[in-house]
Amino acid sequence: MPMIATASRKPLGQLLLSRGTINAEQLQRALDEQRRGSNQKLLGEVLIEMRFCNDEQITEALAEGYGVPFARVSPRIADPRVIASLPKEFLEKHQVLPLFLVEGILTVAVSEPANVFLLEEIERLSGHSVQVVAATVRDIKATLQVYLPSDKVFVIDDIIEEVKPEEFTLIEQPVQDLANLEQAAGDSPIVKLVNYIVYNAVKEGASDIHLEPGDGSVRVRYRIDGRLAERLRPPHQMHAAVASRIKIMAGLDISERRLPQDGGIHVLMDKRPIDLRVSTMPGKHGEKVVIRVIDNDRAGVNLEKLGFGYDTLKQFRKLIGLPNGIVLVTGPTGSGKSTTLYACLSEINRDDINICTVEDPIEYAVGGINQFQVNEKAGFTFANALRALLRQDPDILMVGEIRDAETARIATQAALTGHLVFSTLHTNDAPGAVTRLFNVGIEPYLVGASLAGVLAQRLVRKLCQNCREAYDPPPNERRQFEKLGGEVDKLYRAKGCPRCRNLGFSGRVGIYELLVPDDRAIDAISRGAPLNEIRDIARELGMKPLRLDGMEKVRAGVTTLEEVYRVTA
């Protein structure tokens, strides 16, 4: 028989009462609503609909009632080999998640521990004894979506091998016929080549893959640490089939080569999920394809690892712990704003608060946070999503980007009505975010009342700590450094070694400036002060400029003077 601990079985309502999740009045109202319903709903469903509790609280109470552990499951703790021990159709139909197989005992997560018939069927199909943990349907479904194979999930295992140059000659003429093109895209060398490109990109830590058709060849470049580096140059004859293979994987229309298209691919590599965002653009020599690599392992970065100085981090932590207000992260595209916001949300994420995000697109899935994807074509814009979310009882909101006056206005009102709002803007520095809000149409007095702080950031490449070399800076470099960073005896520069692929750099780190307005700054903002005045006040408050923060990292041998000037020019 399945291994379920025996416990004194109380009704769900009594369990929730004893845990303090609901009160007697709420329970009675839910019971009355349940009786009135035409299709008899479960009490838990009614309680969730009436927003007296959430699915996690219901499942925790049921776990207590049946004497089984409650688990918060996620793709990080699931083993694909164990999941494969039960048929895909069975898992999808019953929302069952196999977790571990230890000494012949299979641990499975279910949302209904009382369903003994289901557990007996699991034992029969798996051939193992079963022990049960309780988990929410939402968490089980989200984990299964990552690991169950589907039409858009591709597993990249040990199938990668070097593509021999002679294999490129298999398609000697450009393929125009659609049926032939689809067949060519499925040929083994094409599949192998696409797998090789993706596999190597992930292994090298690339953030983007560029496939650029030219006259006689296709240039394949990876963006590593913010810089593009060429990796392959297959012949142009292969381009149509390679592009079609990627489009098939992403669920795009291979017959449409005149318009841009966007899609997504989910792959498993080294038993971890990786998302690929695909964008195609018609060009002179064929479709240019760009693939954004979203490695969910990068979502687990905490604030300490982002490169904050001690004082800045201490001040920023106070900022993200406020009960309300707007916290903005600014910088150009690719400056790490999303990573910083995810690190903030992960740090303040707790069971007793409701965190909701509106993103375009959702870059990383974060457990315990409600994430919503913008769909402009369907009319689900940032503004519409934010307006709807305010009726979802949020404590903390994250808006991927403030793009227009309507989104800015709703975010401001949310901050003024007791919510903590995180968002991003594209500005050159922290004080510039204030005037940017003025420009999109927010009244200065509302900006002054709602703005809690602004973090501006850039990413600089880190020197490879294995091969960096110290040198005595020449007079011009010494003068440049001493203007901001004070006296210096030595600096460090890139050299290159096999560990850093002879680049001299490995990884990136942030440089930051943080503006937290005091009463004087708030007064200036509220009367619509010009940017230069706000900058002067910020410096008097002790705001460390981006370049000065960069110079401290140059002094410490983390990066170079050229890198800091490159990103802060």
Side-chain angles (χ1 to χ4, degrees), residues 195-261:
N195 288 345
Y196 174 82
I197 289 169
V198 173
Y199 181 87
N200 267 17
V202 176
K203 283 295 184 186
E204 292 194 36
S207 61
D208 299 88
I209 305 167
H210 291 243
L211 287 86
E212 303 162 329
D215 272 332
S217 62
V218 182
R219 183 168 60 167
V220 179
R221 297 193 289 173
Y222 297 163
R223 187 175 294 279
I224 302 171
D225 297 336
R227 293 292 189 93
L228 284 170
E230 185 174 326
R231 286 293 180 265
L232 281 175
R233 196 176 275 265
H236 187 272
Q237 291 93 325
M238 294 196 76
H239 174 258
V242 169
S244 293
R245 170 63 183 166
I246 294 169
K247 288 164 78 172
I248 290 169
M249 293 170 71
L252 302 180
D253 182 1
I254 66 168
S255 66
E256 180 55 76
R257 283 170 278 173
R258 299 166 301 172
L259 295 173
Q261 294 188 70

Side-chain angles (χ1 to χ4, degrees), residues 440-498:
V440 297
I442 305 301
E443 292 81 356
Y445 73 91
L446 290 177
V447 178
S450 61
L451 188 64
V454 185
L455 180 77
Q457 67 178 71
R458 300 288 190 277
L459 290 177
V460 294
R461 293 185 296 168
K462 292 194 297 183
L463 282 167
C464 174
Q465 299 300 298
N466 185 59
C467 66
R468 66 174 187 175
E469 61 179 12
Y471 70 101
D472 183 30
N476 62 327
E477 284 191 26
R478 190 181 294 274
R479 281 194 300 271
Q480 285 181 349
F481 185 90
E482 290 176 351
K483 283 180 183 177
L484 285 175
E487 293 185 2
V488 64
D489 294 327
K490 63 179 179 181
L491 295 178
Y492 293 86
R493 61 189 168 200
K495 183 179 179 183
C497 66

Side-chain angles (χ1 to χ4, degrees), residues 153-167:
V153 176
F154 300 84
V155 180
I156 301 177
D157 293 330
D158 301 328
I159 59 174
I160 310 301
E161 51 186 71
E162 289 288 341
V163 180
K164 299 175 183 177
E166 56 266 25
E167 290 180 333

